[in-house]
């Protein structure tokens, strides 16, 4: 007897689209966090319409539906579907840790969100600057008609120094940075905007909209430079777009025919996996075309950015260069940061910095806890660590100890490091804090946290002395407090809190 298997004919294919998928990671270590988290989402301002997320096998928390999102859940999820999503819904996502390791928090999300929800991590301004906010990004749309001195200074990276010519004007007009080279002048004449600070750009992208480029042999320039011998840059000149790299004073370059529409946006992106700097262009600032990639040949820890133009010889009609929408920010990561709760137990081999932040100004001078203040800690000159105080002002930052180092031997070398148990490291602290208008929100908004202005941490109760660098010792928690004020000099007693006030 022969058995004939039935033929199944699909009559209908139905897709179920999840409006949100989100992952989380430890803000300091970068380790993924999924176990014990309770994640929910609700239309902003409507907590009674809360929808809880479910965790899948990959550790992603998925919201399958929500008020006002039903029409999106039946979409195909392909390019045509997303092209038709012209208006999204504003939601608030809330995360809490049932295991008590991380602070609860919220963050905004426009739903539905294609793919995993991404987060932009703060960068670092690595030189003295007037920056009054955490270094989440360097951005400028040039809409305020005047140069922002906290972001930019006039200058050029062209050499020699005499190549800088302020007769090459660089001004903000009609929402753009306009650089106008001199016409008919021999020699080198350049000017433009240079970043006021140097910036860390590891795992980051620099991009700018180039509305118009100069004409003929005049140059339109976009540069990221470590120093005069190490840089990457775009140069538009004579109908070509040059993709230039200099490493240890050795120059290499490739070029493409310049297309004003297709190459309206220029980007220099660090790919941390391949450890390459990638030159990219785009017509709209969203879909990027890879043009060239070079191995990273110099540190990306302290870069100067240049937006400029000029001439290296006489050009009768140089035209102008117009820039808009500059942005330096981290490559988006598919994880939202979670900050340590003060109740988190210290893991073996990890250092802990603790403080209880207190604002002495409110309540008629009686003071109040500095809830949801952001604190940056730089340990031994290494990367910046960030922590967030809870509603009671309590702060804990957990992080790996730095590698042990030896002192200079006086002959250009380094002595062997002492025993790990006797190691000490310097710690500098920087704070950002704005007391809320009205009642303190029960949970910090992670996006708002990074928009707080700079604040002052105080060494003394009278608030005359800024907090100096602290000393971290191996095996001991670093507890930072303000000294109690007596008649000068200060005695060794301390308050139980660290005083913080908004910067004037």
């Amino acid at each position: 007897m022969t058995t004939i298997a039935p033929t199944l004919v699909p009559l209908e294919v139905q897709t179920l689209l999840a409006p949100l998928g989100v992952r989380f990671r430890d803000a300091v270590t970068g380790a993924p966090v999924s176990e014990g988290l309770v994640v929910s989402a609700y239309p902003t301002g409507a907590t009674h319409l809360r929808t809880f997320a479910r965790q899948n096998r990959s550790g992603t928390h998925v919201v399958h539906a929500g008020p006002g999102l039903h029409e999106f859940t039946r979409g195909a999820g392909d390019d045509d579907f997303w092209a038709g999503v012209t208006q999204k819904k504003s939601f608030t996502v809330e995360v809490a840790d049932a295991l008590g390791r991380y602070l609860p928090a919220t963050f905004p999300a426009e739903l539905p969100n294609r793919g995993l929800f991404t987060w932009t991590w703060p960068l670092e301004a690595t030189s003295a600057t007037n920056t009054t906010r955490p270094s989440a990004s360097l951005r400028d749309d040039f809409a305020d008609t005047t140069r922002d001195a906290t972001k930019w200074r006039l200058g050029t990276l062209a050499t020699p120094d005499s190549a800088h010519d302020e007769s090459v004007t660089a001004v903000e007009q009609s929402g753009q940075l306009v650089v106008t080279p001199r016409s008919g002048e021999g020699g080198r004449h350049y000017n433009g905007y240079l970043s006021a600070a140097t910036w860390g750009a590891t795992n980051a992208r620099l991009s700018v909209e180039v509305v118009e480029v100069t004409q003929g042999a005049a140059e339109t320039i976009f540069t990221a430079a470590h120093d005069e011998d190490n840089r990457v840059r775009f140069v538009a000149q004579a109908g070509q777009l040059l993709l230039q790299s200099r490493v240890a004073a050795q120059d290499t370059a490739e070029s493409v025919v310049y297309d004003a529409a297709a190459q309206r946006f220029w980007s220099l992106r660090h790919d941390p996996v391949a450890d390459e700097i990638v030159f990219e262009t785009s017509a709209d600032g969203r879909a990027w075309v890879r043009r060239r990639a070079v191995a990273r040949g110099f540190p990306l820890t302290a870069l100067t950015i240049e937006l400029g133009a000029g001439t290296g010889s006489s050009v009768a009609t140089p035209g102008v260069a117009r820039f808009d929408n500059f942005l330096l920010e981290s490559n988006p990561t598919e994880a939202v940061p979670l900050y340590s709760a003060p109740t988190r137990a210290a893991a073996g081999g990890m250092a802990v910095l603790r403080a209880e932040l207190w604002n002495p100004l409110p309540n008629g001078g009686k003071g109040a806890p500095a809830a949801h203040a952001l604190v940056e800690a730089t340990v031994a000159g290494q990367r910046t660590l960030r922590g967030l105080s809870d509603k009671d002002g309590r702060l804990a930052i957990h992080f790996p100890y730095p590698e042990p180092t030896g002192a200079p031997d006086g002959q250009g070398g380094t002595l062997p490091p002492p025993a790990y148990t006797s190691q000490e490291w310097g710690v500098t602290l920087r704070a950002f804090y704005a007391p809320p208008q009205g009642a303190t929100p029960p949970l910090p908004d992670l996006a708002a946290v990074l928009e707080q202005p700079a604040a002052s941490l105080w060494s003394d109760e009278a608030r005359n002395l800024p907090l100096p660098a602290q000393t971290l010792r191996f095996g001991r928690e670093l507890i930072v407090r303000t000294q109690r004020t007596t008649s000068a000099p200060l005695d060794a007693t301390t308050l139980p809190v660290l005083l913080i006030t908004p910067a004037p």
Side-chain angles (χ1 to χ4, degrees), residues 12-33:
E12 181 180 358
V13 175
Q14 189 173 72
T15 302
L16 183 61
L17 182 71
L20 174 67
V22 59
R23 292 176 180 167
F24 299 90
R25 69 164 68 177
D26 187 297
V28 170
T29 67
V33 181

Side-chain angles (χ1 to χ4, degrees), residues 28 340-344 346 350-357 374-380 385-389 393-401 425-430 457 467-473 476-481 498:
V28 170
S340 292
T343 54
R344 181 180 180 182
M350 296 285 282
V352 184
L353 182 154
R354 296 188 187 275
E356 186 172 338
L357 301 176
L374 181 71
V375 174
E376 293 184 341
T378 303
V379 183
L385 311 167
R386 293 179 175 89
L388 190 63
S389 64
R394 298 175 300 171
L395 169 79
I397 305 177
H398 296 243
F399 56 96
Y401 282 102
W425 301 271
V427 181
T428 57
L429 298 178
R430 189 174 178 222
L457 297 172
L467 187 74
Q470 305 293 297
T471 300
L472 171 69
R473 295 178 174 85
R476 305 182 193 177
E477 290 191 351
L478 173 58
I479 300 176
V480 186
R481 292 173 176 161
L498 175 62

Side-chain angles (χ1 to χ4, degrees), residues 155 177 179 190-193 219-223 306-310 321 323:
L177 168 61
V179 186
Y190 296 87
N191 198 13
Y193 276 13
E219 301 168 52
T220 300
I221 302 167
F222 172 36
T223 309
E306 175 186 30
L307 301 173
F323 300 95

Side-chain angles (χ1 to χ4, degrees), residues 224-456:
H226 179 67
D227 53 37
E228 65 181 64
D229 293 329
N230 296 276
R231 71 187 183 204
V232 286
R233 70 176 187 170
F234 284 90
V235 178
Q237 183 183 36
Q240 297 290 306
L241 184 59
L242 309 177
L243 318 172
Q244 300 179 340
S245 173
R246 170 177 286 189
V247 176
Q250 299 299 308
D251 294 311
T252 61
E254 296 180 9
S255 66
V256 297
V257 176
Y258 178 64
D259 184 322
Q263 299 161 10
R264 186 179 178 93
F265 290 81
W266 301 352
S267 164
L268 296 166
R269 178 176 60 85
H270 178 230
D271 178 348
V273 176
D275 201 13
E276 295 178 331
I277 300 174
V278 184
F279 296 74
E280 296 172 313
T281 61
S282 172
D284 58 8
R286 294 187 294 271
W288 295 95
V289 177
R290 182 185 177 105
R291 299 292 182 179
R292 185 190 184 200
V294 296
R296 181 189 59 79
F298 52 85
L300 302 181
T301 53
L303 299 184
T304 299
I305 296 97
E306 175 186 30
L307 301 173
T311 54
S313 60
S314 177
V315 180
T317 309
V320 300
R322 297 181 185 272
F323 300 95
D324 202 353
N325 295 315
F326 172 82
L327 176 62
L328 165 59
E329 67 177 3
S330 75
N331 294 322
T333 58
E334 294 179 339
V336 174
L338 297 177
Y339 293 92
S340 292
T343 54
R344 181 180 180 182
M350 296 285 282
V352 184
L353 182 154
R354 296 188 187 275
E356 186 172 338
L357 301 176
W358 185 263
N359 180 4
L361 301 179
N363 300 323
K366 295 180 180 179
H372 310 156
L374 181 71
V375 174
E376 293 184 341
T378 303
V379 183
Q382 299 182 1
R383 69 183 181 90
T384 297
L385 311 167
R386 293 179 175 89
L388 190 63
S389 64
D390 70 359
K391 62 183 179 60
D392 297 318
R394 298 175 300 171
L395 169 79
I397 305 177
H398 296 243
F399 56 96
Y401 282 102
E403 291 294 325
T405 57
D409 61 6
Q411 300 178 353
T414 303
L415 296 171
Y420 212 87
T421 52
S422 63
Q423 285 278 307
E424 296 182 351
W425 301 271
V427 181
T428 57
L429 298 178
R430 189 174 178 222
F432 304 87
Y433 171 60
Q437 299 298 319
T440 299
L443 301 179
D445 180 329
L446 294 182
V449 162
L450 295 178
E451 290 298 317
Q452 294 182 106
S456 299

Side-chain angles (χ1 to χ4, degrees), residues 35-55:
E35 181 185 7
L37 299 184
V38 179
V39 181
S40 60
Y42 48 86
T44 299
T47 56
H48 62 288
L49 298 178
R50 184 187 308 269
T51 300
F52 285 90
R54 296 180 181 179
Q55 183 180 339

